[in-house]
């Protein structure tokens, strides 16, 4: 007896409908991932248009692979999600701008406080100089946000080509030391400078102006340490030679201004306690 052929039923197999729905869900899932990774509306719309032209879906906002409204509903939600992330991005940008303004305002306020501290210190030093009878021509005060700088007349302290403090200047440097003792806990830096005149071959003690400036700074450092008991942990010295002139070296007057010793007293905001 011949077997009857199995009659094939019409329409798609049941598993294909399930598979189609699964593909729709996966598509929505990856589109959602894309939307969450980018808040650029222009790029998002470009992707949507590309999908439209390639797969002929989303036409009119309602077409899909099946009769359901899964894709159109998903796209609508993704657009809303994209708008949401854009709003969040704008809000974050506004917060970043506000934070930057707050940091700038804080830094400006901090700088103003440092300047005020230096100005207060300079007024104190000026008052002490007057009380000690120190001539303002021999010491110049300069106020910076980080420190107050005393510029001492190098010709008053040293003979030409020498780093030894002149005996006639002991009273002057002693008065300076008494003032510095009031700031013994602050960082203090001593810097020696010279003019551009080369060291004479007849003076072999210093090979060049850098070495001479270092010797002069060290002489002031040693005097303050040995005679005034200044704390070496917060005091340092260095030489700059002819590298930082404040006047022209072409004239005798300019060279005299360049021969100087600078003493920087750092204010409370800029003193580490160790140099």
């Amino acid at each position: 007896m011949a077997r009857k052929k199995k009659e094939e039923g019409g329409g798609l197999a049941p598993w294909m409908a399930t598979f189609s729905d699964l593909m729709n869900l996966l598509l929505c899932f990856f589109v959602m991932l894309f939307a969450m990774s980018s808040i650029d509306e222009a790029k998002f719309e470009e992707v949507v248009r590309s999908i439209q032209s390639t797969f002929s879906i989303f036409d009119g906002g309602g077409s899909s692979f099946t009769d359901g409204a899964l894709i159109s509903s998903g796209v609508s939600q993704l657009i809303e999600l994209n708008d949401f992330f854009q709003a969040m991005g704008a809000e974050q940008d506004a917060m970043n701008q506000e934070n930057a303004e707050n940091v700038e305002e804080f830094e400006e306020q901090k700088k103003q406080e440092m300047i005020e501290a230096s100005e207060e210190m300079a007024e104190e030093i000026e008052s002490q100089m007057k009380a000690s009878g120190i001539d303002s021509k021999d010491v110049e005060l300069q106020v910076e946000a980080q420190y107050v700088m005393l510029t001492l007349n190098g010709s008053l302290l040293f003979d030409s080509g020498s780093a030894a403090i002149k005996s006639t200047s002991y009273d002057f440097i002693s008065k300076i030391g008494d003032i510095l003792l009031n700031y013994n806990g602050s960082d203090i830096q001593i810097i020696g400078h010279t003019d551009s005149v080369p060291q004479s071959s007849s003076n072999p003690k210093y090979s060049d102006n850098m070495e001479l400036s270092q010797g002069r700074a060290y002489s002031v450092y040693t005097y303050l340490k040995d005679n005034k008991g200044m704390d070496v942990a917060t005091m340092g010295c260095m030489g700059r030679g002819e590298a930082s002139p404040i006047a022209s070296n072409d004239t005798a007057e300019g060279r005299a201004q360049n021969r100087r010793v600078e003493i920087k007293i750092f204010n409370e905001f800029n003193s580490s306690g160790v140099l």
Side-chain angles (χ1 to χ4, degrees):
M1 182 174 175
R3 294 183 180 179
K4 292 183 179 180
K5 287 186 178 181
K6 186 176 180 180
E7 295 181 0
E8 295 180 357
L12 297 174
W15 67 269
M16 293 186 68
T18 302
F19 181 79
S20 177
D21 288 341
L22 178 61
M23 293 301 100
N24 286 342
L25 289 172
L26 285 175
L27 178 61
C28 288
F29 175 72
F30 285 111
V31 173
M32 181 177 293
L33 285 180
F34 175 81
M36 293 176 66
S37 67
S38 173
I39 58 174
D40 190 328
E41 184 176 359
K43 289 184 179 179
F44 177 79
E45 291 177 353
E46 182 179 346
V47 171
V48 172
R49 287 194 298 270
S50 176
I51 295 175
Q52 272 187 316
S53 62
T54 304
F55 297 104
S56 297
I57 59 176
F58 306 143
D59 291 333
S63 297
S64 68
F65 290 117
T66 65
D67 293 333
L70 176 61
I71 298 297
S72 60
S73 176
V75 170
S76 176
Q77 292 178 11
L78 288 176
I79 292 176
E80 293 178 1
L81 186 62
N82 185 58
D83 292 341
F84 170 73
F85 278 108
Q86 280 192 332
M88 285 186 62
E91 183 178 350
Q92 185 63 43
D93 289 342
M95 291 177 61
N96 291 340
Q97 178 65 25
E98 183 179 356
N99 290 338
E101 291 175 355
N102 289 339
V103 169
E104 185 177 351
E105 182 180 352
F106 173 78
E107 291 177 348
E108 186 63 31
Q109 181 180 354
K110 195 70 174 178
K111 182 178 180 180
Q112 185 60 38
E113 290 177 355
M114 290 192 295
I115 292 175
E116 290 175 358
S118 292
E119 288 176 343
E120 182 179 350
M121 185 193 304
E123 291 177 0
E124 294 173 353
I125 293 173
E126 188 174 16
S127 176
Q128 294 170 40
M129 285 172 52
K130 289 180 179 178
S132 299
I134 297 175
D135 196 328
S136 59
K137 294 184 298 183
D138 297 329
V139 181
E140 179 183 341
L141 284 180
Q142 182 177 332
V143 177
E144 300 291 343
Q146 296 83 12
Y147 54 81
V148 174
M149 184 169 71
L150 284 66
T151 301
L152 312 184
N153 186 333
S155 300
L156 179 66
L157 292 172
F158 307 103
D159 288 325
S160 178
S162 171
I165 298 176
K166 293 192 291 188
S167 59
T168 54
S169 298
Y170 283 163
D171 182 62
F172 168 73
I173 195 66
S174 177
K175 292 177 180 179
I176 295 295
D178 290 338
I179 294 174
L180 294 177
L181 273 175
N182 296 311
Y183 307 97
N184 199 23
S186 302
D187 289 347
I188 295 176
Q189 189 174 55
I190 303 166
I191 308 168
H193 299 269
T194 68
D195 57 30
S196 62
V197 177
Q199 288 298 296
S200 172
S201 57
S202 61
N203 182 25
K205 186 174 183 180
Y206 302 103
S207 59
D208 55 25
N209 283 325
M210 177 62 74
E211 189 175 354
L212 175 61
S213 67
Q214 292 170 346
R216 289 177 172 177
Y218 184 68
S219 291
V220 175
Y221 169 92
T222 303
Y223 179 89
L224 295 173
K225 173 177 68 74
D226 295 342
N227 295 277
K228 298 298 178 179
M230 296 289 292
D231 188 356
V232 295
T234 58
M235 185 171 62
C237 64
M238 63 179 291
R240 291 285 294 154
E242 60 196 71
S244 301
I246 58 174
S248 172
N249 280 304
D250 295 334
T251 65
E253 183 181 349
R255 290 192 293 271
Q257 292 182 53
N258 291 331
R259 295 191 297 270
R260 67 197 190 278
V261 173
E262 296 172 344
I263 301 177
K264 294 180 179 179
I265 310 171
F266 291 83
N267 60 39
E268 58 186 300
F269 295 99
N270 294 276
S271 286
S272 63
V274 178
L275 270 181

